[in-house]
Amino acid sequence: MTILDTIIASKREEVAERKACVPVRELERSGSFERNCLSLEASLNDPDRTGIIAEFKRRSPSKGWINQFADVARVTEAYNRFGASGLSVLTDSEYFGGSADDLLVARRQEIPILRKDFIIDQYQLLEAKAMGADVILLIAACLTPTEVKQLAKFARQLGLDVLLELHAEEELEHVCEYTNIVGINNRDLKTFRVNIERSLDMASRLPRHLPKVAESGINSVDDVVMFRENGFKGFLIGENFMKAADPALAFEAFVQELRTVTR
């Protein structure tokens, strides 16, 4: 059994428990449920922003704790202030040390927020809406094309953007009319090895009208410039900032360098 298989099995149990504890009608009564979502797709095309989807991530299955005690309010405020196009907030607790509370705190920022989790059930989309998320992640590696289409359609009906994450060419068939942003992850979720060339190899096979996001293994401004030159609009970066003693300062320095290089 792979790491991904283990996570998904655990997630199914977790979602079943939450369904039993919090009925849908309670989620729909949330103060955030009626708010109009912010468009990550539009933000990625905003020339005043960096294209960076800056991630708040406390730990990972492969690295363990990255930054256990980071202040989500301070970090996400800095991400927004210094030009992130969006925020990505981990809400998986068991494997990534995240929580819904982290996303609720990040929601103070007027910027598109991605709920980063392993989405396998429509109930999680209702949760995302209730938390104040604007975007949800669908991972092709743990969903069939039919499941992606069903979940993406329901998400769009809720007003949420859909970021579909691909890892291999055979997953291109998961792209559908409801997946309005496509990410290519350089990290193989079955082995957790990183190959930064993955995004470049697959980019030419994607529909040209879809904004493309490079994910994982982006460690330098040169990486961002390279992906931009290959048609990518977005760059999901988390560990590079979160591993610093002060992620807020690390992000500020990265953006200053990026703007100097691309001026």
Side-chain angles (χ1 to χ4, degrees), residues 3 12 23 41 110 124 138 161 175 187 189 197 229 232 249:
I3 296 173
R12 293 191 190 285
E41 182 177 359
E110 192 65 15
Q124 293 168 283
L138 297 181
D161 273 353
V175 177
R187 178 174 286 115
L189 280 186
E197 296 299 321
E229 291 174 347
F232 284 79
L249 290 179

Side-chain angles (χ1 to χ4, degrees):
M1 181 177 283
T2 66
I3 296 173
L4 182 59
D5 292 333
T6 300
I7 291 174
I8 295 304
S10 175
K11 188 62 60 175
R12 293 191 190 285
E13 294 180 3
E14 177 188 319
V15 172
E17 290 173 3
R18 291 209 302 270
K19 278 182 174 181
C21 293
V22 183
V24 167
R25 62 181 178 276
E26 185 172 333
L27 295 175
E28 293 174 338
R29 286 198 296 266
S30 163
S32 295
F33 205 86
E34 296 302 320
R35 64 178 284 275
N36 292 323
C37 293
L38 302 174
S39 171
L40 177 60
E41 182 177 359
S43 188
L44 291 174
N45 287 302
D46 183 345
D48 293 329
R49 291 276 163 174
T50 60
I52 297 173
I53 303 170
E55 188 160 271
F56 186 86
K57 177 169 68 173
R58 299 183 189 279
R59 70 183 302 270
S60 78
S62 59
K63 300 289 181 65
W65 287 106
I66 299 167
N67 197 327
Q68 186 174 1
F69 302 109
D71 184 334
V72 63
R74 182 175 184 275
V75 173
T76 55
E77 188 277 332
Y79 284 168
N80 185 20
R81 177 157 45 96
F82 293 114
S85 292
L87 306 178
S88 172
V89 180
L90 272 294
T91 58
D92 175 82
S93 174
E94 184 173 357
Y95 296 95
F96 287 88
S99 70
D101 287 342
D102 284 342
L103 197 150
L104 290 168
V105 172
R107 183 65 280 162
R108 299 171 190 170
Q109 306 304 316
E110 192 65 15
I111 184 174
I113 298 180
L114 167 71
R115 181 192 182 185
K116 186 84 173 287
D117 211 316
F118 296 86
I119 303 293
I120 54 172
D121 192 289
Q122 287 189 356
Y123 181 83
Q124 293 168 283
L125 306 181
L126 295 167
E127 284 183 321
K129 181 73 172 175
M131 291 175 195
D134 304 287
V135 195
I136 56 97
L137 177 73
L138 297 181
I139 302 173
C142 57
L143 297 166
T144 67
T146 298
E147 288 170 334
V148 166
K149 187 169 186 177
Q150 291 171 342
L151 290 167
K153 181 178 181 180
F154 187 58
R156 300 295 286 157
Q157 289 170 345
L158 292 172
L160 297 161
D161 273 353
V162 176
L163 172 59
L164 174 66
E165 180 176 294
L166 308 178
H167 299 81
E169 289 186 10
E170 58 266 25
E171 295 171 355
L172 289 168
E173 63 184 5
H174 288 68
V175 177
C176 69
E177 64 267 35
Y178 304 110
T179 52
N180 62 314
I181 307 169
V182 176
I184 305 177
N185 198 328
N186 304 297
R187 178 174 286 115
D188 186 327
L189 280 186
K190 295 179 180 178
T191 65
F192 276 78
R193 293 177 184 146
V194 171
N195 177 4
I196 204 166
E197 296 299 321
R198 183 187 303 275
S199 297
L200 302 181
D201 292 341
M202 292 179 60
S204 63
R205 299 176 180 271
L206 290 170
R208 291 187 178 182
H209 70 281
L210 290 177
K212 297 187 287 290
V213 175
E215 304 177 23
S216 298
I218 303 174
N219 299 312
S220 70
V221 165
D222 288 343
D223 291 336
V224 171
V225 171
M226 175 190 64
F227 283 121
R228 276 186 178 173
E229 291 174 347
N230 284 273
F232 284 79
K233 291 286 189 179
F235 323 95
L236 198 154
I237 311 174
E239 188 173 317
N240 189 60
F241 307 131
M242 293 300 298
K243 70 184 180 183
D246 190 330
L249 290 179
F251 181 73
E252 179 184 8
F254 191 95
V255 170
Q256 287 177 343
E257 182 184 353
L258 178 63
R259 286 178 169 158
T260 298
V261 169
T262 57
R263 185 170 296 159

